[in-house]
Amino acid sequence: MTRRYDLPLIKDALSQFQYALTAILTVLLLWAVTAFFLAKDQANIWTQGLDNTLTIEVPAINDNGEVIETEQHTEHKEQTLALLHRKGYISSITEIKEEELKQLVAPWLGDGDFEKIVPYPAFIRITLKSSDKSNINDLENALEEISETIKLRSHKEWMGQLLSLTNTAMLIASIAIALLFFVIGISIAFAVKARMEMLKGDVEILHLMGAPASYIAKQFQRQTFLTGMRGSFVGFFIGFVSALIVIKFIMPGSVEGLHIAYLDTVRIVILAALPITISFLSAIIARVTAFRIMMRLP
Amino acid sequence: MIKFEHVGLRYGIGPEVLKDVSFELSAGSFHFLTGPSGAGKTSLMRLMYLGKKPTRGLINIFGQNINSASRKVLTQSRQKIGTVFQDFRLIQHLNAFDNIALPLRIKGQNEKEIKSNVDELMHWVGLEDCAKALPSTLSGGQQQRVAIARAIIAKPKLLLADEPTGNLDERIGHRLMTLFEKLNQMGTTIVIATHSESIMETYKHPRMILSNHTLHISDSASPYNSSEGAL
Ligand SMILES: Nc1ncnc2c1ncn2[C@@H]1O[C@H](COP(=O)(O)OP(=O)(O)OP(=O)(O)O)[C@@H](O)[C@H]1O
Ligand SMILES: [Mg+2]
Protein backbone atom coordinates (compact mmCIF):
# COMPACT_ATOMS: atom_id res chain seq x y z
CA MET A 1 0.00 0.00 0.00
CA THR A 2 1.55 3.27 -1.05
CA ARG A 3 -1.27 5.63 -0.14
CA ARG A 4 -1.52 6.60 3.51
CA TYR A 5 -4.57 7.91 5.29
CA ASP A 6 -4.66 10.56 7.97
CA LEU A 7 -8.16 10.03 9.24
CA PRO A 8 -8.81 6.91 11.27
CA LEU A 9 -10.53 3.82 9.97
CA ILE A 10 -12.48 3.47 13.13
CA LYS A 11 -14.70 0.51 13.90
CA ASP A 12 -17.03 2.70 15.87
CA ALA A 13 -20.75 2.41 16.41
CA LEU A 14 -21.30 4.49 13.32
CA SER A 15 -19.43 2.25 10.91
CA GLN A 16 -21.01 -0.80 12.50
CA PHE A 17 -24.39 0.79 11.94
CA GLN A 18 -23.56 1.46 8.30
CA TYR A 19 -22.24 -2.09 7.97
CA ALA A 20 -25.35 -3.70 9.45
CA LEU A 21 -27.72 -1.45 7.55
CA THR A 22 -25.98 -2.10 4.25
CA ALA A 23 -26.05 -5.85 4.88
CA ILE A 24 -29.77 -5.84 5.70
CA LEU A 25 -30.65 -3.65 2.74
CA THR A 26 -28.59 -5.87 0.46
CA VAL A 27 -30.50 -8.93 1.66
CA LEU A 28 -33.78 -7.16 0.90
CA LEU A 29 -32.43 -6.01 -2.44
CA LEU A 30 -31.43 -9.53 -3.35
CA TRP A 31 -34.85 -10.83 -2.40
CA ALA A 32 -36.53 -8.13 -4.46
CA VAL A 33 -34.43 -9.01 -7.49
CA THR A 34 -35.14 -12.72 -6.98
CA ALA A 35 -38.86 -11.99 -6.71
CA PHE A 36 -38.61 -10.09 -9.96
CA PHE A 37 -36.92 -13.06 -11.65
CA LEU A 38 -39.50 -15.46 -10.21
CA ALA A 39 -42.45 -13.41 -11.43
CA LYS A 40 -40.86 -13.08 -14.84
CA ASP A 41 -40.23 -16.82 -15.09
CA GLN A 42 -43.74 -17.61 -13.97
CA ALA A 43 -45.15 -15.30 -16.63
CA ASN A 44 -42.96 -17.00 -19.22
CA ILE A 45 -44.03 -20.46 -18.14
CA TRP A 46 -47.68 -19.49 -18.30
CA THR A 47 -47.42 -17.97 -21.72
CA GLN A 48 -45.03 -20.49 -23.23
CA GLY A 49 -46.53 -23.72 -24.56
CA LEU A 50 -50.02 -22.71 -23.52
CA ASP A 51 -50.07 -20.30 -26.42
CA ASN A 52 -50.46 -23.17 -28.84
CA THR A 53 -52.89 -25.20 -26.83
CA LEU A 54 -56.60 -24.75 -27.46
CA THR A 55 -59.69 -26.55 -26.26
CA ILE A 56 -62.74 -27.08 -28.42
CA GLU A 57 -66.03 -27.51 -26.65
CA VAL A 58 -68.90 -29.20 -28.45
CA PRO A 59 -71.79 -28.44 -26.08
CA ALA A 60 -74.74 -30.75 -25.56
CA ILE A 61 -76.92 -27.75 -24.83
CA ASN A 62 -77.53 -24.94 -27.29
CA ASP A 63 -77.26 -21.25 -26.46
CA ASN A 64 -80.91 -21.16 -25.38
CA GLY A 65 -80.36 -23.90 -22.79
CA GLU A 66 -82.18 -26.61 -24.76
CA VAL A 67 -80.67 -30.10 -24.91
CA ILE A 68 -79.36 -30.96 -28.36
CA GLU A 69 -80.44 -34.29 -29.80
CA THR A 70 -77.87 -37.00 -29.02
CA GLU A 71 -77.51 -37.94 -32.70
CA GLN A 72 -76.96 -34.35 -33.65
CA HIS A 73 -74.43 -33.87 -30.87
CA THR A 74 -72.54 -36.98 -31.93
CA GLU A 75 -72.61 -35.76 -35.51
CA HIS A 76 -71.20 -32.37 -34.47
CA LYS A 77 -68.44 -34.15 -32.65
CA GLU A 78 -67.61 -36.47 -35.55
CA GLN A 79 -67.64 -33.57 -38.01
CA THR A 80 -65.40 -31.54 -35.73
CA LEU A 81 -62.89 -34.36 -35.34
CA ALA A 82 -62.85 -34.93 -39.08
CA LEU A 83 -62.29 -31.24 -39.66
CA LEU A 84 -59.43 -31.14 -37.16
CA HIS A 85 -57.72 -34.07 -38.82
CA ARG A 86 -57.89 -32.31 -42.18
CA LYS A 87 -56.15 -29.19 -40.91
CA GLY A 88 -52.39 -29.42 -41.48
CA TYR A 89 -51.50 -26.83 -38.85
CA ILE A 90 -52.70 -28.99 -35.99
CA SER A 91 -50.02 -31.19 -34.49
CA SER A 92 -52.04 -33.16 -31.92
CA ILE A 93 -55.68 -33.93 -31.19
CA THR A 94 -56.82 -35.41 -27.90
CA GLU A 95 -60.42 -36.23 -27.22
CA ILE A 96 -61.20 -35.97 -23.56
CA LYS A 97 -62.90 -39.26 -22.64
CA GLU A 98 -66.29 -39.28 -20.98
CA GLU A 99 -64.78 -41.19 -18.02
CA GLU A 100 -62.18 -38.51 -17.64
CA LEU A 101 -64.90 -35.87 -17.62
CA LYS A 102 -66.94 -37.82 -15.09
CA GLN A 103 -63.90 -37.98 -12.84
CA LEU A 104 -63.37 -34.28 -13.22
CA VAL A 105 -66.92 -33.37 -12.26
CA ALA A 106 -67.41 -36.13 -9.66
CA PRO A 107 -66.32 -33.99 -6.72
CA TRP A 108 -69.14 -31.57 -7.54
CA LEU A 109 -71.84 -33.82 -8.93
CA GLY A 110 -71.14 -37.22 -7.39
CA ASP A 111 -70.99 -40.31 -9.63
CA GLY A 112 -74.68 -40.52 -10.53
CA ASP A 113 -75.83 -40.73 -14.12
CA PHE A 114 -76.33 -37.06 -14.48
CA GLU A 115 -75.78 -37.11 -18.21
CA LYS A 116 -79.38 -38.23 -18.48
CA ILE A 117 -80.46 -34.87 -17.10
CA VAL A 118 -77.59 -32.65 -18.30
CA PRO A 119 -75.59 -34.35 -21.03
CA TYR A 120 -71.85 -33.84 -20.96
CA PRO A 121 -70.32 -31.64 -23.63
CA ALA A 122 -67.48 -33.09 -25.67
CA PHE A 123 -64.04 -31.60 -25.17
CA ILE A 124 -61.22 -31.90 -27.67
CA ARG A 125 -57.78 -30.57 -26.78
CA ILE A 126 -55.56 -29.62 -29.74
CA THR A 127 -52.08 -28.28 -30.16
CA LEU A 128 -51.19 -25.98 -33.05
CA LYS A 129 -47.82 -26.17 -34.79
CA SER A 130 -47.52 -22.41 -34.36
CA SER A 131 -49.56 -19.73 -32.68
CA ASP A 132 -50.33 -18.10 -36.00
CA LYS A 133 -53.43 -15.94 -35.62
CA SER A 134 -54.67 -16.72 -39.14
CA ASN A 135 -54.82 -20.44 -38.31
CA ILE A 136 -56.97 -19.73 -35.30
CA ASN A 137 -59.31 -17.57 -37.38
CA ASP A 138 -59.54 -20.24 -40.02
CA LEU A 139 -60.37 -22.84 -37.41
CA GLU A 140 -63.00 -20.64 -35.80
CA ASN A 141 -64.76 -20.10 -39.14
CA ALA A 142 -64.65 -23.79 -40.02
CA LEU A 143 -66.11 -24.76 -36.65
CA GLU A 144 -68.89 -22.22 -37.02
CA GLU A 145 -69.91 -23.88 -40.27
CA ILE A 146 -70.50 -27.13 -38.41
CA SER A 147 -72.47 -25.48 -35.62
CA GLU A 148 -72.61 -22.07 -34.01
CA THR A 149 -72.68 -23.72 -30.60
CA ILE A 150 -69.14 -25.07 -30.89
CA LYS A 151 -66.67 -22.97 -28.95
CA LEU A 152 -62.93 -22.57 -29.43
CA ARG A 153 -61.26 -21.63 -26.17
CA SER A 154 -57.76 -20.22 -26.11
CA HIS A 155 -55.96 -20.58 -22.83
CA LYS A 156 -54.58 -17.12 -23.29
CA GLU A 157 -57.89 -15.50 -22.39
CA TRP A 158 -58.01 -16.62 -18.80
CA MET A 159 -54.22 -16.46 -18.64
CA GLY A 160 -54.56 -12.70 -18.98
CA GLN A 161 -55.63 -12.35 -15.39
CA LEU A 162 -52.78 -14.45 -14.07
CA LEU A 163 -50.37 -12.49 -16.22
CA SER A 164 -51.56 -9.19 -14.83
CA LEU A 165 -50.83 -10.72 -11.41
CA THR A 166 -47.24 -11.50 -12.33
CA ASN A 167 -46.88 -8.11 -13.97
CA THR A 168 -48.01 -6.46 -10.75
CA ALA A 169 -45.53 -8.58 -8.82
CA MET A 170 -42.76 -7.48 -11.18
CA LEU A 171 -43.76 -3.84 -10.82
CA ILE A 172 -43.77 -4.07 -7.03
CA ALA A 173 -40.37 -5.78 -7.09
CA SER A 174 -39.00 -3.00 -9.33
CA ILE A 175 -40.32 -0.30 -7.02
CA ALA A 176 -38.82 -2.12 -4.03
CA ILE A 177 -35.45 -2.32 -5.82
CA ALA A 178 -35.49 1.41 -6.59
CA LEU A 179 -36.54 2.29 -3.03
CA LEU A 180 -33.84 0.09 -1.53
CA PHE A 181 -31.14 1.77 -3.61
CA PHE A 182 -32.51 5.12 -2.49
CA VAL A 183 -32.46 4.13 1.18
CA ILE A 184 -28.93 2.77 0.84
CA GLY A 185 -27.85 6.10 -0.65
CA ILE A 186 -29.52 8.17 2.05
CA SER A 187 -28.13 6.07 4.89
CA ILE A 188 -24.60 6.32 3.51
CA ALA A 189 -24.90 10.08 3.12
CA PHE A 190 -25.96 10.42 6.75
CA ALA A 191 -23.23 8.08 7.96
CA VAL A 192 -20.64 10.21 6.18
CA LYS A 193 -22.16 13.41 7.56
CA ALA A 194 -22.08 12.03 11.09
CA ARG A 195 -18.52 10.78 10.68
CA MET A 196 -17.34 14.15 9.40
CA GLU A 197 -19.04 15.80 12.35
CA MET A 198 -17.16 13.44 14.68
CA LEU A 199 -13.84 14.23 13.04
CA LYS A 200 -14.60 17.92 12.58
CA GLY A 201 -11.43 19.07 14.33
CA ASP A 202 -9.20 16.84 12.23
CA VAL A 203 -10.96 17.84 9.04
CA GLU A 204 -10.47 21.50 9.90
CA ILE A 205 -6.75 21.02 10.57
CA LEU A 206 -6.25 19.30 7.24
CA HIS A 207 -8.21 22.09 5.59
CA LEU A 208 -6.07 24.78 7.24
CA MET A 209 -2.91 23.01 6.09
CA GLY A 210 -4.15 23.46 2.56
CA ALA A 211 -5.51 19.98 1.94
CA PRO A 212 -7.80 20.18 -1.10
CA ALA A 213 -11.38 18.96 -0.65
CA SER A 214 -10.55 15.92 -2.79
CA TYR A 215 -7.75 14.91 -0.40
CA ILE A 216 -10.11 14.94 2.55
CA ALA A 217 -13.05 13.42 0.67
CA LYS A 218 -10.82 10.51 -0.37
CA GLN A 219 -10.34 9.52 3.23
CA PHE A 220 -14.06 9.29 3.94
CA GLN A 221 -14.57 7.61 0.61
CA ARG A 222 -12.21 4.83 1.55
CA GLN A 223 -13.81 4.14 4.92
CA THR A 224 -17.28 4.22 3.43
CA PHE A 225 -16.28 2.05 0.48
CA LEU A 226 -14.73 -0.60 2.70
CA THR A 227 -17.67 -0.63 5.10
CA GLY A 228 -20.15 -0.68 2.22
CA MET A 229 -18.26 -3.52 0.58
CA ARG A 230 -18.14 -5.63 3.72
CA GLY A 231 -21.82 -5.00 4.41
CA SER A 232 -23.02 -5.64 0.89
CA PHE A 233 -21.03 -8.85 0.41
CA VAL A 234 -22.21 -10.27 3.71
CA GLY A 235 -25.77 -9.20 2.82
CA PHE A 236 -25.37 -10.73 -0.63
CA PHE A 237 -24.31 -14.05 0.83
CA ILE A 238 -27.10 -14.16 3.40
CA GLY A 239 -29.69 -13.02 0.86
CA PHE A 240 -28.55 -15.53 -1.75
CA VAL A 241 -28.55 -18.48 0.59
CA SER A 242 -31.88 -17.57 2.19
CA ALA A 243 -33.53 -16.99 -1.20
CA LEU A 244 -32.29 -20.39 -2.37
CA ILE A 245 -33.61 -22.10 0.74
CA VAL A 246 -37.01 -20.43 0.42
CA ILE A 247 -37.33 -21.24 -3.27
CA LYS A 248 -35.98 -24.78 -3.16
CA PHE A 249 -37.47 -26.12 0.03
CA ILE A 250 -40.42 -24.04 1.05
CA MET A 251 -42.22 -22.63 -1.96
CA PRO A 252 -42.70 -25.58 -4.38
CA GLY A 253 -44.45 -27.60 -1.69
CA SER A 254 -46.90 -24.91 -0.77
CA VAL A 255 -47.56 -23.32 -4.13
CA GLU A 256 -48.42 -25.92 -6.75
CA GLY A 257 -46.93 -25.34 -10.17
CA LEU A 258 -44.64 -22.54 -9.10
CA HIS A 259 -41.27 -22.96 -10.69
CA ILE A 260 -37.81 -22.29 -9.46
CA ALA A 261 -36.18 -19.18 -10.83
CA TYR A 262 -33.41 -20.40 -12.99
CA LEU A 263 -30.02 -18.73 -13.01
CA ASP A 264 -28.32 -18.08 -16.31
CA THR A 265 -25.10 -16.17 -16.84
CA VAL A 266 -26.88 -12.85 -17.28
CA ARG A 267 -28.70 -13.25 -14.00
CA ILE A 268 -25.60 -14.35 -12.15
CA VAL A 269 -23.87 -11.24 -13.47
CA ILE A 270 -26.80 -9.05 -12.39
CA LEU A 271 -26.83 -10.55 -8.89
CA ALA A 272 -23.07 -10.35 -8.51
CA ALA A 273 -23.19 -6.75 -9.69
CA LEU A 274 -25.42 -5.80 -6.74
CA PRO A 275 -22.79 -5.76 -3.98
CA ILE A 276 -20.21 -4.27 -6.34
CA THR A 277 -22.65 -1.52 -7.30
CA ILE A 278 -23.45 -0.85 -3.65
CA SER A 279 -19.74 -0.62 -2.78
CA PHE A 280 -19.07 1.92 -5.50
CA LEU A 281 -22.31 3.76 -4.80
CA SER A 282 -21.10 4.07 -1.20
CA ALA A 283 -17.81 5.55 -2.33
CA ILE A 284 -19.45 8.02 -4.71
CA ILE A 285 -22.02 9.18 -2.19
CA ALA A 286 -19.31 9.56 0.46
CA ARG A 287 -17.29 11.69 -1.92
CA VAL A 288 -20.19 13.92 -2.88
CA THR A 289 -21.30 14.34 0.73
CA ALA A 290 -17.77 15.10 1.92
CA PHE A 291 -17.33 17.67 -0.85
CA ARG A 292 -20.57 19.37 0.03
CA ILE A 293 -19.58 19.64 3.68
CA MET A 294 -16.06 20.84 2.78
CA MET A 295 -17.53 23.64 0.72
CA ARG A 296 -18.98 25.12 3.90
CA LEU A 297 -15.53 25.69 5.40
CA PRO A 298 -14.06 29.17 4.78
CA MET B 1 3.50 39.55 1.78
CA ILE B 2 0.66 40.39 4.17
CA LYS B 3 -1.40 43.52 4.06
CA PHE B 4 -4.37 44.32 6.32
CA GLU B 5 -6.50 47.37 5.60
CA HIS B 6 -9.07 48.52 8.14
CA VAL B 7 -9.78 44.94 9.11
CA GLY B 8 -12.47 44.22 11.68
CA LEU B 9 -13.49 40.86 13.16
CA ARG B 10 -16.34 39.81 15.35
CA TYR B 11 -17.49 36.36 16.39
CA GLY B 12 -21.15 35.87 15.63
CA ILE B 13 -23.11 38.78 17.01
CA GLY B 14 -20.51 39.59 19.69
CA PRO B 15 -18.52 42.83 19.87
CA GLU B 16 -15.67 43.49 17.50
CA VAL B 17 -12.59 41.68 18.78
CA LEU B 18 -10.43 43.47 16.24
CA LYS B 19 -11.19 47.00 15.12
CA ASP B 20 -9.71 48.82 12.20
CA VAL B 21 -6.46 46.84 12.07
CA SER B 22 -4.09 47.99 9.33
CA PHE B 23 -0.51 46.89 8.81
CA GLU B 24 1.82 45.51 6.22
CA LEU B 25 4.51 42.87 6.67
CA SER B 26 7.18 42.54 4.04
CA ALA B 27 8.58 39.25 2.87
CA GLY B 28 11.38 37.97 5.08
CA SER B 29 10.38 40.02 8.11
CA PHE B 30 10.20 38.75 11.68
CA HIS B 31 7.67 40.16 14.13
CA PHE B 32 6.51 39.47 17.62
CA LEU B 33 2.81 39.83 18.23
CA THR B 34 2.10 40.79 21.80
CA GLY B 35 -0.60 42.21 24.00
CA PRO B 36 -2.56 41.25 27.07
CA SER B 37 -4.52 38.04 27.27
CA GLY B 38 -7.79 38.34 25.41
CA ALA B 39 -6.50 41.21 23.30
CA GLY B 40 -7.07 39.26 20.11
CA LYS B 41 -3.66 37.79 19.23
CA THR B 42 -5.07 34.39 18.37
CA SER B 43 -7.91 36.04 16.45
CA LEU B 44 -5.46 38.05 14.36
CA MET B 45 -3.46 34.87 13.71
CA ARG B 46 -6.66 33.15 12.65
CA LEU B 47 -7.23 35.78 10.00
CA MET B 48 -3.63 35.41 8.81
CA TYR B 49 -3.75 31.61 8.51
CA LEU B 50 -7.00 31.96 6.56
CA GLY B 51 -9.05 30.18 9.18
CA LYS B 52 -11.63 32.93 9.14
CA LYS B 53 -12.72 35.73 6.89
CA PRO B 54 -12.77 39.26 8.30
CA THR B 55 -16.11 40.86 8.97
CA ARG B 56 -14.83 44.01 7.33
CA GLY B 57 -11.72 45.38 5.66
CA LEU B 58 -9.31 43.92 3.15
CA ILE B 59 -6.69 41.24 3.63
CA ASN B 60 -4.07 40.60 1.03
CA ILE B 61 -1.74 37.61 1.36
CA PHE B 62 0.86 36.53 -1.20
CA GLY B 63 -0.51 39.22 -3.51
CA GLN B 64 -4.03 37.77 -3.42
CA ASN B 65 -7.04 39.54 -2.05
CA ILE B 66 -8.47 36.77 0.09
CA ASN B 67 -11.97 38.20 0.11
CA SER B 68 -12.31 37.50 -3.57
CA ALA B 69 -9.84 34.65 -4.03
CA SER B 70 -11.07 31.34 -5.41
CA ARG B 71 -11.11 28.18 -3.32
CA LYS B 72 -8.14 26.87 -5.26
CA VAL B 73 -6.09 29.99 -4.57
CA LEU B 74 -6.99 29.83 -0.87
CA THR B 75 -5.95 26.17 -0.74
CA GLN B 76 -2.64 26.96 -2.42
CA SER B 77 -2.07 29.91 -0.10
CA ARG B 78 -2.73 27.75 2.96
CA GLN B 79 -0.07 25.30 1.79
CA LYS B 80 2.45 28.16 1.96
CA ILE B 81 1.54 28.98 5.55
CA GLY B 82 2.80 27.03 8.55
CA THR B 83 0.85 27.49 11.75
CA VAL B 84 1.61 26.57 15.33
CA PHE B 85 -1.72 26.70 17.14
CA GLN B 86 -1.87 27.87 20.70
CA ASP B 87 -3.62 24.60 21.61
CA PHE B 88 -1.41 22.58 19.18
CA ARG B 89 -4.35 20.82 17.52
CA LEU B 90 -2.48 17.63 16.80
CA ILE B 91 -4.45 14.80 15.26
CA GLN B 92 -4.91 12.53 18.24
CA HIS B 93 -4.91 9.16 16.53
CA LEU B 94 -1.79 9.85 14.49
CA ASN B 95 1.61 9.39 16.08
CA ALA B 96 4.16 12.18 16.27
CA PHE B 97 5.82 11.17 13.02
CA ASP B 98 2.56 11.10 11.05
CA ASN B 99 1.41 14.40 12.53
CA ILE B 100 4.61 16.07 11.42
CA ALA B 101 4.42 14.39 8.02
CA LEU B 102 0.91 15.69 7.27
CA PRO B 103 1.83 18.85 5.30
CA LEU B 104 4.22 16.84 3.12
CA ARG B 105 1.59 14.18 2.45
CA ILE B 106 -0.91 16.86 1.51
CA LYS B 107 1.67 18.17 -0.95
CA GLY B 108 2.06 14.66 -2.31
CA GLN B 109 5.72 14.13 -1.48
CA ASN B 110 6.90 10.53 -1.72
CA GLU B 111 7.17 8.49 1.44
CA LYS B 112 10.93 8.04 1.20
CA GLU B 113 11.59 11.77 1.18
CA ILE B 114 9.00 12.28 3.88
CA LYS B 115 10.77 9.74 6.08
CA SER B 116 14.15 11.41 5.79
CA ASN B 117 12.77 14.95 6.16
CA VAL B 118 10.65 14.14 9.18
CA ASP B 119 13.37 12.10 10.89
CA GLU B 120 15.84 14.94 10.46
CA LEU B 121 13.49 17.56 11.85
CA MET B 122 12.40 15.35 14.75
CA HIS B 123 16.03 14.96 15.65
CA TRP B 124 16.46 18.71 15.48
CA VAL B 125 13.61 19.45 17.85
CA GLY B 126 14.67 16.66 20.21
CA LEU B 127 11.82 14.26 19.48
CA GLU B 128 13.82 11.43 17.94
CA ASP B 129 12.55 8.97 20.55
CA CYS B 130 8.90 9.93 20.17
CA ALA B 131 8.22 9.09 16.53
CA LYS B 132 5.72 6.35 17.31
CA ALA B 133 4.11 8.05 20.30
CA LEU B 134 0.54 9.29 20.16
CA PRO B 135 0.04 12.93 21.19
CA SER B 136 -1.90 11.95 24.29
CA THR B 137 1.18 10.16 25.63
CA LEU B 138 3.45 13.16 25.14
CA SER B 139 4.15 15.96 27.60
CA GLY B 140 2.88 19.47 26.87
CA GLY B 141 6.32 20.58 25.77
CA GLN B 142 6.77 17.55 23.52
CA GLN B 143 3.38 18.15 21.93
CA GLN B 144 4.34 21.75 21.35
CA ARG B 145 7.49 20.67 19.56
CA VAL B 146 5.48 18.27 17.40
CA ALA B 147 3.20 21.20 16.54
CA ILE B 148 6.18 23.38 15.67
CA ALA B 149 7.80 20.66 13.59
CA ARG B 150 4.53 20.15 11.73
CA ALA B 151 4.32 23.88 11.02
CA ILE B 152 7.79 24.15 9.55
CA ILE B 153 8.31 20.77 7.86
CA ALA B 154 7.03 21.94 4.47
CA LYS B 155 9.26 25.08 4.50
CA PRO B 156 6.39 27.56 4.52
CA LYS B 157 6.75 31.08 3.17
CA LEU B 158 4.91 32.39 6.19
CA LEU B 159 5.22 30.95 9.67
CA LEU B 160 2.65 31.89 12.29
CA ALA B 161 3.30 30.67 15.79
CA ASP B 162 0.90 31.29 18.66
CA GLU B 163 2.80 31.11 21.96
CA PRO B 164 5.21 28.50 20.59
CA THR B 165 7.52 28.54 23.57
CA GLY B 166 4.94 28.75 26.32
CA ASN B 167 5.35 25.20 27.56
CA LEU B 168 9.07 24.82 26.98
CA ASP B 169 11.98 25.11 29.32
CA GLU B 170 14.40 27.87 28.54
CA ARG B 171 17.00 25.72 26.86
CA ILE B 172 14.58 24.19 24.38
CA GLY B 173 12.77 27.52 24.01
CA HIS B 174 15.98 29.16 22.87
CA ARG B 175 16.85 26.24 20.66
CA LEU B 176 13.52 26.65 18.87
CA MET B 177 13.94 30.40 18.65
CA THR B 178 17.26 29.73 16.96
CA LEU B 179 15.48 27.45 14.54
CA PHE B 180 12.98 30.23 13.77
CA GLU B 181 15.85 32.68 13.26
CA LYS B 182 17.46 30.29 10.80
CA LEU B 183 14.22 29.82 8.90
CA ASN B 184 13.85 33.59 8.81
CA GLN B 185 17.36 33.99 7.43
CA MET B 186 16.43 31.52 4.72
CA GLY B 187 13.55 33.76 3.75
CA THR B 188 10.54 32.68 5.80
CA THR B 189 8.36 35.50 7.03
CA ILE B 190 7.62 34.95 10.70
CA VAL B 191 5.07 36.20 13.20
CA ILE B 192 5.29 34.89 16.74
CA ALA B 193 2.64 35.67 19.31
CA THR B 194 4.13 35.75 22.77
CA HIS B 195 3.83 37.18 26.24
CA SER B 196 7.44 36.48 27.05
CA GLU B 197 9.40 39.66 27.68
CA SER B 198 12.60 37.66 27.93
CA ILE B 199 12.18 36.22 24.46
CA MET B 200 11.32 39.61 22.99
CA GLU B 201 14.28 41.12 24.81
CA THR B 202 16.70 38.46 23.61
CA TYR B 203 15.59 38.37 20.00
CA LYS B 204 15.12 41.95 19.06
CA HIS B 205 12.43 41.99 16.43
CA PRO B 206 9.76 44.60 15.83
CA ARG B 207 6.66 44.13 17.97
CA MET B 208 3.09 44.25 16.83
CA ILE B 209 1.21 45.31 19.92
CA LEU B 210 -2.48 44.61 20.29
CA SER B 211 -4.36 46.69 22.78
CA ASN B 212 -7.86 48.07 22.90
CA HIS B 213 -8.75 45.82 19.97
CA THR B 214 -6.39 47.54 17.65
CA LEU B 215 -2.80 47.25 16.58
CA HIS B 216 0.30 49.35 16.39
CA ILE B 217 3.80 48.35 15.41
CA SER B 218 6.83 49.37 17.39
CA ASP B 219 9.89 49.31 15.21
CA SER B 220 12.42 50.20 17.88
CA ALA B 221 14.16 46.84 18.00
CA SER B 222 16.52 45.84 15.25
CA PRO B 223 16.59 42.22 14.12
CA TYR B 224 19.33 39.60 14.44
CA ASN B 225 21.58 41.40 16.89
CA SER B 226 21.66 39.02 19.79
CA SER B 227 20.60 35.64 18.49
CA GLU B 228 24.17 34.29 18.69
CA GLY B 229 24.08 34.64 22.45
CA ALA B 230 21.31 32.10 22.64
CA LEU B 231 23.22 29.31 20.98
N1 LIG C 1 -14.19 31.19 18.67
C1 LIG C 1 -14.55 32.28 19.37
N2 LIG C 1 -15.85 32.58 19.51
C2 LIG C 1 -16.23 33.67 20.19
N3 LIG C 1 -15.40 34.50 20.77
C3 LIG C 1 -14.08 34.27 20.67
C4 LIG C 1 -13.59 33.14 19.98
N4 LIG C 1 -12.24 33.15 20.03
C5 LIG C 1 -11.92 34.23 20.74
N5 LIG C 1 -13.00 34.92 21.14
C6 LIG C 1 -13.00 36.18 21.90
O1 LIG C 1 -12.16 37.08 21.26
C7 LIG C 1 -11.38 37.79 22.19
C8 LIG C 1 -9.91 37.66 21.82
O2 LIG C 1 -9.53 36.32 21.97
P1 LIG C 1 -8.14 35.77 21.50
O3 LIG C 1 -8.13 34.31 21.71
O4 LIG C 1 -7.88 36.26 20.13
O5 LIG C 1 -7.17 36.49 22.53
P2 LIG C 1 -5.60 36.29 22.75
O6 LIG C 1 -4.97 37.60 22.62
O7 LIG C 1 -5.09 35.21 21.88
O8 LIG C 1 -5.55 35.82 24.26
P3 LIG C 1 -4.48 34.85 24.97
O9 LIG C 1 -3.25 35.64 25.18
O10 LIG C 1 -5.13 34.48 26.25
O11 LIG C 1 -4.28 33.69 24.08
C9 LIG C 1 -11.70 37.24 23.55
O12 LIG C 1 -12.56 38.17 24.19
C10 LIG C 1 -12.44 35.96 23.27
O13 LIG C 1 -13.47 35.80 24.21
MG1 LIG D 1 -4.33 33.39 22.13
Side-chain angles (χ1 to χ4, degrees), chain B residues 9-12 14-18 33-46 52 86 162-163 193-195 210 213:
Chain B
L9 175 71
R10 63 171 85 234
Y11 291 100
E16 271 199 320
V17 174
L18 296 172
L33 173 60
T34 188
S37 178
K41 299 183 292 296
T42 299
S43 302
L44 185 58
M45 288 279 188
R46 202 168 275 152
K52 219 165 170 22
Q86 192 168 10
D162 202 347
E163 306 276 358
T194 184
H195 287 118
L210 264 176
H213 309 294

Side-chain angles (χ1 to χ4, degrees), chain B residues 121-210:
Chain B
L121 185 57
M122 288 190 88
H123 188 80
W124 227 99
V125 297
L127 288 171
E128 59 272 21
D129 299 328
C130 305
K132 292 270 180 301
L134 290 176
S136 55
T137 67
L138 295 173
S139 74
Q142 287 169 326
Q143 290 184 40
Q144 192 153 34
R145 279 177 280 160
V146 173
I148 292 167
R150 186 178 69 179
I152 65 179
I153 186 78
K155 303 187 176 63
K157 285 199 162 49
L158 172 63
L159 177 68
L160 304 170
D162 202 347
E163 306 276 358
T165 55
N167 290 283
L168 302 177
D169 65 50
E170 232 162 73
R171 196 185 60 83
I172 296 175
H174 283 297
R175 194 176 157 86
L176 285 168
M177 281 307 296
T178 310
L179 180 62
F180 291 151
E181 295 278 334
K182 277 207 166 135
L183 286 170
N184 180 240
Q185 278 161 28
M186 285 174 353
T188 304
T189 309
I190 296 184
V191 179
I192 293 179
T194 184
H195 287 118
S196 167
E197 268 307 322
S198 89
I199 291 224
M200 288 188 283
E201 279 299 311
T202 315
Y203 305 90
K204 301 206 182 315
H205 293 298
R207 300 178 188 185
M208 304 162 72
I209 302 161
L210 264 176

Side-chain angles (χ1 to χ4, degrees), chain A residues 2-8 199 201-202 204-212 215 294-298, chain B residues 49-53 71 74-75 78-79 85 89-94 98 102-103 105-106 111 150:
Chain A
T2 51
R3 183 72 186 84
R4 300 181 60 113
Y5 292 85
D6 314 320
L7 296 176
L199 298 174
D202 296 349
E204 202 189 343
I205 284 295
L206 292 176
H207 175 67
L208 290 177
M209 285 179 180
Y215 180 93
M294 291 297 298
M295 288 304 144
R296 285 189 216 139
L297 294 176
Chain B
Y49 65 67
L50 307 179
K52 219 165 170 22
K53 291 208 168 164
R71 224 156 239 292
L74 289 178
T75 298
R78 287 188 181 105
Q79 288 188 6
F85 301 95
R89 303 180 73 173
L90 302 175
I91 293 187
Q92 292 303 317
H93 61 267
L94 292 183
D98 288 330
L102 272 179
R105 295 207 168 116
I106 288 170
E111 285 298 319
R150 186 178 69 179

